[in-house]
Amino acid sequence: MTGPRIGFFTRLLEDAPAGDRYRFALEQIAQAERSGFASAWVAQHHFGETEGGLPSPFVLLAAAAERTSRIALATGVVTLPIDDPLRAAEDASVLDALSGGRVQLGVASGGTPSSFAPFGRDAQRRREIFAEHFAVFRDALAGRGIRGTEARIYPAAGDLDRRIWQATFSVDGGVRAGRDGDGLLLSRTQPRPGDARDLPLHDLQLPIIDAYREALPEGAPFRVLASRTAVVVDEENRTRMLELAEPGLRDLAEGMLGIDTTGLGIDDLARLTDSHIGTPDEVAASLAADRAIAASTDVSFQIHSVDAPHEMTLRSLELLATEVAPRLGYEVGADAARSLSAAHRVHA
């Protein structure tokens, strides 16, 4: 197997008004395509700007479809217990038609717990609701009658039901995604056990990948995407980037890992949060040690939790694709995009 295809991921967290956030995201997706990224993933969050600034991912991706021609347009993720699954399927199908078949669908049962109640959903029942909604979502995309009726979505979704990816933190979730024949999404915010807060991500995620692989039906394509934080800068901007990175990584380490970060420097914070920050040489060296990436078919890179300005994000995307990826054997360019568009049809 060649190295993983590279993707771009954004939570739209710039300190800017909503319109500027969306403009930045569209410019970043266009830059990612120019640089050779195979995919662009956008997060969905409701109610407020601090967790993420985009409640309507299909709307933004439709705008991105008009500005790009090759890069896959992906949700990372749609929170199906909150969303109406039929409307999500219809929106996905329209986007796929507009984009020429470039949609990849990440879905999950989780999400910010406080977002459930305004939608009339019980966060404690999210797994049960997910199972119900996921069945409707898949039936609609597969062209089957919906909820026991003869109704079928328009436009027809083609093979979009085979371009679903399930996000999970657990081995059980990996087994579920494998049994369903879907792709597997792994997060950079993977929770650590209380007695092993400093475990690297690959130690936590390799068992999930193994369980997923074992559960895949015979002949089903192996598709795993690992999400990571990576910020690449030219040498002259290194000091400034480390200064920008320190507050966000400290907050992430304390909030996600429950670690007292008093006295910890930027190198420790980057290691504890599995963040890859620095020059192309430095980022390539740290990424090379991540065995979960090596076991994946795709890797998506995001700036967060680093508060990088838009221009630095654009430059980081360029350096990731042109300087870092070739050193590690990651797949970039038109061939990578074509490979991802067919990944659900071939056995890897």
Side-chain angles (χ1 to χ4, degrees):
M1 184 178 96
T2 61
R5 297 172 288 254
I6 66 168
F8 166 60
F9 178 83
T10 180
R11 290 175 60 202
L12 293 86
L13 284 173
E14 285 83 4
D15 184 13
D20 288 336
R21 285 188 176 192
Y22 302 150
R23 176 175 58 83
F24 292 159
L26 293 172
E27 291 176 3
Q28 290 161 13
I29 292 171
Q31 176 66 60
E33 178 171 274
R34 287 193 299 271
S35 299
F37 282 67
S39 58
W41 301 75
V42 297
Q44 178 189 42
H45 290 90
H46 298 280
F47 310 118
E49 70 280 1
T50 56
E51 288 291 322
L54 182 64
S56 304
F58 294 115
V59 175
L60 183 84
L61 291 175
E66 290 297 299
R67 291 161 171 79
T68 58
S69 61
R70 183 182 67 232
I71 194 168
L73 305 171
T75 57
V77 291
V78 173
T79 309
L80 274 184
I82 290 178
D83 275 21
D84 181 292
L86 177 54
R87 290 294 295 117
E90 289 179 324
D91 287 347
S93 185
V94 170
L95 174 61
D96 203 46
L98 282 171
S99 66
R102 290 189 280 144
V103 172
Q104 302 286 331
L105 288 171
V107 299
S109 62
T112 307
S114 61
S115 295
F116 282 68
F119 282 94
R121 314 290 190 201
D122 181 356
Q124 299 302 314
R125 295 183 58 241
R126 63 186 181 276
R127 290 182 177 84
E128 178 186 347
I129 300 171
F130 175 80
E132 297 169 359
H133 284 196
F134 194 30
V136 174
F137 184 69
R138 194 186 292 277
D139 280 347
L141 292 174
R144 294 188 283 268
I146 300 160
R147 293 188 172 107
T149 73
E150 293 301 312
R152 287 167 172 78
I153 65 169
Y154 179 88
D159 64 3
L160 189 51
D161 65 306
R162 293 164 56 195
R163 285 178 264 152
I164 294 172
W165 303 65
Q166 296 187 39
T168 187
F169 289 137
S170 70
V171 167
D172 287 345
V175 170
R176 181 180 61 248
R179 286 176 178 166
D180 290 344
D182 294 330
L184 175 67
L185 295 180
L186 298 173
S187 173
R188 57 142 197 160
T189 56
Q190 176 82 34
R192 270 69 161 181
D195 58 349
R197 299 291 193 183
D198 59 349
L199 273 180
L201 273 178
H202 58 235
D203 282 349
L204 298 165
Q205 294 183 338
L206 284 171
I208 302 174
I209 295 173
D210 290 342
Y212 165 77
R213 187 193 298 272
E214 288 296 318
L216 279 171
E218 181 67 28
F222 176 80
R223 295 174 294 151
V224 177
L225 180 142
S227 178
R228 297 293 186 265
T229 293
V231 188
V232 192
V233 292
D234 299 296
E235 180 63 42
E236 61 268 26
N237 291 321
R238 182 178 182 275
T239 299
R240 181 185 176 211
M241 175 50 64
L242 294 178
E243 291 172 350
L244 290 170
E246 189 271 338
L249 296 188
R250 190 174 301 279
D251 288 345
L252 182 64
E254 293 178 351
M256 181 178 72
L257 305 178
I259 290 176
D260 179 1
T261 64
T262 304
L264 296 183
I266 186 63
D267 290 340
D268 290 325
L269 295 172
R271 176 181 56 81
L272 288 168
T273 59
D274 285 84
S275 300
H276 307 274
I277 300 170
T279 64
D281 286 342
E282 291 171 321
V283 172
S286 61
L287 286 172
D290 191 320
R291 293 183 287 120
I293 294 178
S296 300
T297 59
D298 297 82
V299 55
S300 67
F301 294 112
Q302 61 179 292
I303 295 293
H304 320 113
S305 296
V306 177
D307 186 18
H310 175 54
E311 293 73 17
M312 197 168 283
T313 300
L314 296 176
R315 179 59 174 160
S316 179
L317 290 170
E318 182 181 5
L319 290 171
L320 273 167
T322 61
E323 298 287 337
V324 175
R327 302 182 196 190
L328 298 171
Y330 294 171
E331 195 174 354
V332 298
D335 287 345
R338 283 192 291 267
S339 172
L340 178 56
S341 72
H344 60 288
R345 296 193 292 266
V346 297
H347 180 69

